[in-house]
Every structure is written in C-alpha cells, then in structure tokens.
Amino acid sequence: MAKFSLYSEESNRSPLSRLWRNFKANHLALVGLWMFIGLTLLAMTAPLLAPYGIDQQHSDALLLPPSWHDEGDVHFILGTDDLGRDVLSRLMNGATYTFGLSIIAALMTTIIGVILGTLAGINRGFKSSILNHLLDITLAIPSLLLAIIIIAILGPGLLNTVWAIILALLPQHIHSVRNLVVEELNKDYVGAYRLDGANKVHILFKGVFPNIYEHIVVIFTLALSTAILDIAALGFLKLGAQPPTTEWGAMLAENLGLIYIAPWTVGLPGALLFLSVLATNLVGDGLRNALQARKAT
C-alpha cells in the first residue's frame, strides 16, 4: 500500500517538479546553478555596483597588487593595472560583455535554431536533403574557426562578434532540433493525433514541443559555454571587443605583457572565464542527468 502511495505521488508530479527534484540531488549541479545565477546578476548590475569607472585612472596607484598583499590597498581590492585602473571594476563590467553577451548570443541562436530546425524536421523531400548536406558540411568546421571567417567578412567589433557567434553556433542548433523533431514525429502518439485530424501546428505545440523543451534547455547551456569561450577567444585575438572595452578575453590580451610583474591582471580574467564555463557546464550536465533520471522513472 505504501509503495502504491509513493508511486501515485510520483505520477502526480509535474514534469518540471520531477526534473527539479532530480537536478537538486546533484550537489555539483546546484553549485553550478548558484554560480550561474551570481554571474547573471553581476552581468546585469555591474555598471551600478562597480566602485570606479572602467577608464578612471589613479596615477598614484599603478600596478598595485590585490588588497591582501603586503603592498596592496584596501581601496583597490583586486589591485590596479599599469594605467592605475581598478581591476575589480573592470572585471565586473567585463561580465556584462563576456557573460551577458554570451547569454544573448546563445538565446538568439536557440530561438532561431528551434524555428529553422522545426521547419527542417516537419518538411521532407529534396529541400530537406539539401539542408542536411549543408549542415553536415558546416558542422565539419569548428565554431571558433567559423566565427573567425565571419569576422573576417564583417570586420572586428563587439556587435559583429555577437553575430559571428550566432551564425557559427546556428548549424549545430538546427541539426540538433531537427533530429529531436523527427524523432518525436515518428512516435505512435503523433500518429494518433493525425488520425484525430490534428494539423501540424497542433501536433507541434501539443505533442512535440512539450516533449523536447528540456532537451532544448540543455542545448542552450552547451551553446552558452561555447559562446563564452568563443567571445573571449575573439577578444584575445583582437578580432572581437576592442580596447577600452572590458571584455575578459580582450583584458587578457591587453595585460599579457604584465604576466610576470602583475600576474593578477591576467590571472583574474582567466579565472572568471574558467568559473563561467565551469558553472555553465555543471548546469548543463546536471540537466542532462536529471532528464535521464526522469526518463528512467
């Protein structure tokens, strides 16, 4: 009787509540989620919370180490660079560019990818075959290399970087969503919908999308981690954000010559990039494991 009660309670749970229960059982995924939320809030509020302006120079505080160092100053918690600019303020503002723009790029890529992938999945024939071959060719090119090619056409700059990331990640999204849609359309319940006279729109919104939206969230998190690395890499190569923009990759390139005399100017942006990608991957892995656990039950 107790087993039946537990089974009934489990069956009455909504898909989202079961997904959250499985997700929070993974402690690393929860840590990644809190890190992700913290970085998102920082990207949204950094211009308001930063103690100094990103270009505000302090001529009497050049290359100060972090405040916990013997030569540090409490007014500059993470030290200053060779121009006397506060590293903490620049890192905080950099979150808006590196992490915030990565979210925008991944979100736009996901939306466009879902639309085009769905259209590719519901249409069959010659056009669909041509699209599949084009996707296969594009997927053979790494996303960063494809982004560099697009930047070479559009020109360097932060806005062009975002468009380059979107276009570079789009083929993978279209391919993944198309496969998900085709897999769902081949299931028995879709045949039942068709026998009841349902049209394609009804089948998509009542049958297909409710069964694949969790996978789309996982695809989004994986795209986000790639977008973070690609935006930083383009900034480091001086193809993306240009000085004095405080994008973390551009900060790495700008301060690379100071690595031996002021390692905090290079190590701190690198550490934030590492934590951003780590948090995103932990959330993505947690969602994937939670989806697998939900299917098993």
Side-chain angles (χ1 to χ4, degrees), residues 41-78:
L41 292 176
L42 178 62
M44 294 171 60
T45 60
L48 301 175
L49 299 179
Y52 300 101
I54 60 172
D55 292 326
Q56 185 176 349
Q57 299 180 10
H58 305 84
S59 57
D60 57 341
L62 301 180
L63 292 178
L64 279 180
S67 59
W68 56 83
H69 192 274
D70 293 338
E71 299 178 3
D73 189 330
V74 293
H75 294 96
F76 305 101
I77 297 176
L78 296 182

Side-chain angles (χ1 to χ4, degrees), residues 157-168:
L158 199 57
L159 181 60
N160 288 344
T161 297
V162 175
W163 282 113
I165 297 299
I166 292 173
L167 294 175

Side-chain angles (χ1 to χ4, degrees), residues 124-137:
R124 306 292 175 87
F126 182 72
K127 292 181 179 180
S128 180
S129 178
I130 292 294
L131 178 61
N132 290 336
H133 289 303
L134 290 175
L135 289 176
D136 291 337
I137 295 172

Side-chain angles (χ1 to χ4, degrees), residues 174-194:
I174 296 174
H175 185 266
S176 299
V177 174
R178 178 193 173 279
N179 289 343
L180 289 172
V181 171
V182 170
E183 182 181 353
E184 288 298 316
L185 290 176
N186 289 329
K187 292 184 177 179
D188 294 339
Y189 76 88
V190 174
Y193 274 126
R194 287 171 176 159

Side-chain angles (χ1 to χ4, degrees), residues 20-39:
W20 170 246
R21 189 200 62 178
N22 295 329
F23 180 84
K24 70 180 182 180
N26 187 336
H27 299 299
L28 283 177
L30 273 182
V31 171
L33 179 62
W34 285 115
M35 291 168 58
F36 185 89
I37 293 173
L39 287 167

